Amino acid sequence: MTTSIKNNFLPPALISNLQQVLIARNDVEGSGPVSSPQSNVSCDEDCDKDIILVTNGEGIDSPGLTSLVEALVADGRFSVHVCAPQMDRSVSGHSVTLGETLAASSVDITGVKAAYEVSGNPADCVSLALSGALFSWSKPVLAISGINRGSSCGHNMYYSGAAAAAREALICGVPSVCISLNWKNGVSSENDLKDAASVCLPLIYAATRDIKKESFPEACLLNIEIPTCPIANKGFKVTRQSLWRSSLSWQSVSVNRHPSAGHFMSNQQSLGIKLAQLSRDASAAGAARRLNSQRKNVEVESVGIAGKVNAPQTVKKYFRLEFSEKEQKSAEEDLDIRALEDGFVAVTPFSLTVQPEISALMSNWIAAALAGKQ
């Protein structure tokens, strides 16, 4: 008789304990092995693999994350865990959610040890995953964020939710990689995402190997930019961050055509929370109007002037922010955007600390500024 545990979304630690009990029982009864609740890989085999945390900014169902996970699972060298946003948070930056309850729901992904979708931002997902409250392991060897559809070169990195996820991992003490494909609408396809994943695998292998050897640069994040045609890339090129970014275009929206109600609600974490917030806002606005009305009445009576009181007019305008592609001006060859447009895989290292040369320049400037002030 073979006893097995089905995946009923139990905590991994509890499942592990149940496995051990069943294994002991099977040894006594002479029955077969226990099947794994999280994957088809046996516990002993999977425990020997390097743990990799995969996340992204575009949501757990995005084709970029799917392509990356499929490549990692097919290779068979890693124990893959996933924790990603429930929906698209690709331009959320390094925003975290405070004061709200986030839901982490288990998701079945073929070959993945454990996966959760979180009703929060990319940085929330990584922080939760590495907190010890969600997964049974202490920490992964490497955190990978991607594959993002669209470049995170230059200053776009500060808007990118995918880059923020990798940065949050680094803040938590885990080396990380952010992968983006220079996606072009009307040109790129999902097959390009699969090719991009294949292109990155050698670098992922090398990173995990050297992290274990303690020869990987400490406190380092790698931002990897894949050219539009991944399989035709000219090779890897270490680059510097450029000043390039997408153009930010604010479009005025007519009041009669204001579409924000449906769009706003569809992109929020909880309709109930937002309705409650609207109710509180409406109550506060009503209270403010009553208070203002009382103040106006008092002022008219005290002065004794009969006449019309001019109430301040509230002007409300509607705008929508859109990113648009901006032509790249001539840039130095070792900058990320230049290398990417030239067909190279641009690899830009980032650190959480201020570079020594910047500290020296600032030290000199402060000394001169204070001396001049005296």
Side-chain angles (χ1 to χ4, degrees), residues 18-228:
L18 290 173
Q19 280 185 298
Q20 297 303 319
V21 172
L22 292 175
I23 290 172
R25 179 183 299 174
N26 289 335
D27 288 341
V28 173
E29 297 177 358
S31 57
V34 179
S35 61
S36 171
Q38 295 287 349
S39 68
N40 296 325
V41 182
S42 68
C43 181
D44 291 340
E45 179 184 349
D46 206 57
C47 289
D48 292 335
K49 297 180 179 179
D50 294 328
I51 297 174
I52 285 185
L53 172 66
V54 176
T55 188
N56 74 343
E58 297 178 354
I60 197 164
D61 294 323
S62 72
L65 183 140
T66 300
S67 298
L68 176 61
V69 168
E70 287 178 350
L72 293 171
V73 170
D75 179 81
R77 306 188 198 188
F78 307 108
S79 175
V80 182
H81 294 65
V82 176
C83 186
Q86 192 174 36
M87 59 183 65
D88 190 349
R89 302 288 187 188
S90 54
V91 198
S92 60
H94 207 124
S95 174
V96 293
T97 306
L98 294 176
E100 290 186 24
T101 300
L102 298 182
S105 304
S106 58
V107 178
D108 288 328
I109 301 178
T110 303
V112 171
K113 186 69 175 176
Y116 290 89
E117 60 178 18
V118 178
S119 60
N121 296 316
D124 291 321
C125 296
V126 173
S127 178
L128 175 61
L130 299 179
S131 68
L134 191 62
F135 295 111
S136 58
W137 37 259
S138 57
K139 72 175 185 178
V141 174
L142 181 69
I144 307 176
S145 182
I147 299 171
N148 183 55
R149 288 178 293 181
S151 171
S152 296
C153 283
H155 287 177
N156 273 13
M157 186 179 187
Y158 301 114
Y159 299 107
S160 169
R167 193 184 307 116
E168 181 65 25
L170 190 60
I171 291 173
C172 295
V174 176
S176 59
V177 170
C178 178
I179 305 173
S180 300
L181 171 66
N182 193 24
W183 182 275
K184 301 291 185 183
N185 291 328
V187 177
S188 301
S189 68
E190 290 191 15
N191 286 332
D192 294 319
L193 292 167
K194 297 180 184 296
D195 292 336
S198 298
V199 167
C200 291
L201 283 179
L203 201 59
I204 293 173
Y205 301 152
T208 54
R209 178 197 65 209
D210 292 343
I211 288 170
K212 291 187 295 182
K213 291 181 178 179
E214 299 183 352
S215 59
F216 187 81
E218 292 185 4
C220 183
L221 179 164
L222 296 181
N223 187 41
I224 304 175
E225 299 286 332
I226 311 294
T228 305

